[in-house]
Amino acid sequence: MRDTEIERLLRREDEHYLNVIDLIAASNAPVADVRDNRDWGVAQFRSAEGHVGRKPYAGTGNFDAIERLTALRARTLFGAEHANVQPVSGSLANLAAYRALMRPGDTLLSMSMASGGHLSHGHRKHLVTDLFRVVHYDVDTESGLLRYDEIREIAERERPKVLVAGYSAYPRAVDFALFAKIAQEVGARLVADISHIAGLVAAGLHDNPCDQPGTVVTTSVEKTLRGTRGGIVLCSEELRPAVDSAVFPGLQSSVGLAGLISLAETLYDAATPEFRAYQQRVVGNARALAGHLLDGGLDLVSGGTDTHLLVIDLTRTGLSGQEAERRLQDLGILSNRNLLPGDPRPPFQASGLRLGTPTVTSRGFDADDIRELAGIVLEAVLAERWDSAPAALRARTTALRDKPRADDALADLAPLAAAAPAVADAR
Ligand SMILES: *Cc1c(COP(=O)(O)O)cnc(C)c1O
């Protein structure tokens, strides 16, 4: 069988993706062992449902052994008593956590999307909003920072069952100990969603919410943790039955073995000293990028970053996030428009632009590369006119992209990159 139709589309995506500079904060480029499923034999298609040791199918002993090892690695990496490694995504890990801790109609207190929260924290069209009474807190519009006193006041007033901390576009460190204290004071449980910062937490660069007793920690796998798609819920032994049954049979049935193997290898990778050094470079690159952009005259939400991401406040430039995103895409640089706290523009346009360094760092970008990258971003965002990408700026971007880098995690895919257009979708 030769399915040329899908093959052609797949090669097109390879050519596209391997020819762009990806600054999307939620992306990453996993090492080859995590990606390569050619050696995975029957795992490429095997799936089964149920918990370890209790699968209602014959012949799942080896499957259980793989799942047990994967969960052990997750527990060890994050220092949790229990890990459920079955959620197929971070969003479903969150749904399972909520379901384990709440009944329909209970109150969930989380950050709004405009301030940096996630869809699965209670966007008005998300299932979560149908199931629970969602109340939001926001960051301070001026400083862009969390206001813990105000969050405490809202929690005292609204008496949530679950308080959510951990975000998609918050560039600063989160005080999980303080969040846990607020949750305890109002009789709520803390759900700490570390989807974006899981790699930084695993590397010991950010506070680990697993250290806070009674907290349920959720994460996706494909962001800074540098895996392929997946989700994890971490909790205490006490919460294990509620969390496990919320995942199965509460939310999902079968789990694919390939996803578990990839996750096991992701967690193996994340426990190495090289991974820790990588995360330090990710944060160093984000800080450097933030510094250059500030020096060049741009505003950043919260004035900088402690993480792998930053959000440019485009208000003074007059550009929308959508327009800034388009300019960078014209050059072959991927980013995404992002709402600002109190943003006057609708979400589709937005007034912010979110940039992240996980992927470029995985692809070997060093301090010089980040300086050049910042220079290109500044020229594009501050240009008075933009009909199409200026040739000189395009040439600089291509030179930066094509600079040989020994430690490019995607180097093995280079043959697929062949000369091809840098931009996927024409407008
Ligand atoms: C990305 C993200 C998720 C969801 O992860 P998916 O794997 O895309 O479902 C959940 N929470 C936060 C804060 C995120 O940024």
Side-chain angles (χ1 to χ4, degrees), residues 89-91 94 118 120-121 167-168 193 195-196 220 222-223 229:
S89 73
S91 295
N94 280 341
H118 187 256
S120 63
H121 297 178
Y167 315 102
S168 300
D193 177 352
S195 287
H196 258 271
S220 57
E222 68 275 13
K223 299 178 184 174
R229 187 166 181 69

Side-chain angles (χ1 to χ4, degrees), residues 200 203 205 273 275-286 361:
L200 312 186
L205 304 180
F275 184 83
R276 182 162 200 277
Y278 159 72
Q279 298 294 345
Q280 283 168 327
R281 290 197 301 278
V282 167
V283 175
N285 279 344
T361 307

Side-chain angles (χ1 to χ4, degrees), residues 106-107 133 154-162 185-188:
D106 284 346
T107 300
R133 177 178 161 262
I154 299 173
E156 280 168 354
R157 191 177 66 232
E158 304 288 345
R159 293 278 147 182
K161 272 270 171 56
V162 163
E185 284 166 11
V186 301

Side-chain angles (χ1 to χ4, degrees), residues 119-378:
L119 289 166
S120 63
H121 297 178
H123 181 272
R124 66 189 170 79
K125 289 188 177 169
H126 197 281
L127 173 66
V128 165
T129 312
D130 292 336
L131 291 177
F132 308 110
R133 177 178 161 262
V134 176
V135 180
H136 285 314
Y137 57 89
D138 280 288
V139 294
D140 181 65
T141 314
E142 288 303 304
S143 67
L145 298 175
L146 287 163
R147 290 175 295 197
Y148 294 94
D149 288 344
E150 192 188 272
I151 294 165
R152 177 184 276 114
E153 279 172 33
I154 299 173
E156 280 168 354
R157 191 177 66 232
E158 304 288 345
R159 293 278 147 182
K161 272 270 171 56
V162 163
L163 172 60
V164 182
Y167 315 102
S168 300
Y170 187 69
R172 296 298 185 171
V174 176
D175 189 341
F176 290 114
L178 186 47
F179 262 113
K181 190 159 172 286
I182 295 170
Q184 199 196 11
E185 284 166 11
V186 301
R189 289 280 190 175
L190 178 63
V191 171
D193 177 352
I194 58 169
S195 287
H196 258 271
I197 58 166
L200 312 186
V201 170
L205 304 180
H206 276 229
D207 285 354
N208 182 353
C210 291
D211 296 342
Q212 305 305 323
T215 300
V216 176
V217 178
T218 59
T219 186
S220 57
V221 175
E222 68 275 13
K223 299 178 184 174
T224 53
L225 196 55
R226 205 164 69 170
T228 56
R229 187 166 181 69
I232 308 174
V233 186
L234 301 150
C235 65
S236 62
E237 199 53 49
E238 173 219 346
L239 288 171
R240 173 189 192 137
V243 163
D244 280 357
S245 89
V247 175
F248 172 89
L251 194 59
Q252 297 183 176
S253 46
S254 67
V255 180
L257 197 49
L260 283 181
I261 304 249
S262 178
L263 178 52
E265 301 206 359
T266 297
L267 295 162
Y268 184 93
D269 174 46
T272 59
E274 291 78 16
F275 184 83
R276 182 162 200 277
Y278 159 72
Q279 298 294 345
Q280 283 168 327
R281 290 197 301 278
V282 167
V283 175
N285 279 344
R287 285 224 172 92
L289 182 58
H292 297 313
L293 295 179
L294 288 169
D295 289 348
L298 288 179
D299 297 328
L300 301 181
V301 173
S302 86
T305 181
D306 305 321
T307 65
H308 60 297
L309 69 83
L310 52 93
V311 181
I312 302 174
D313 178 342
L314 294 161
T315 309
R316 277 197 309 123
T317 69
L319 238 55
S320 68
Q322 182 185 24
E323 171 63 10
E325 177 195 301
R326 184 184 71 92
R327 289 185 180 189
L328 293 187
Q329 188 181 356
D330 283 348
L331 291 166
I333 298 173
L334 304 186
S335 64
N336 72 281
R337 71 199 82 167
N338 210 95
L339 285 172
L340 298 179
D343 202 322
R345 285 196 170 93
F348 194 73
Q349 292 168 359
S351 306
L353 189 74
R354 189 181 69 161
L355 306 179
T357 53
T359 308
V360 289
T361 307
S362 288
R363 304 205 61 185
F365 275 50
D366 63 15
D368 288 341
D369 298 332
I370 294 294
R371 186 181 314 108
E372 174 64 357
L373 184 60
I376 294 166
V377 170
L378 282 164

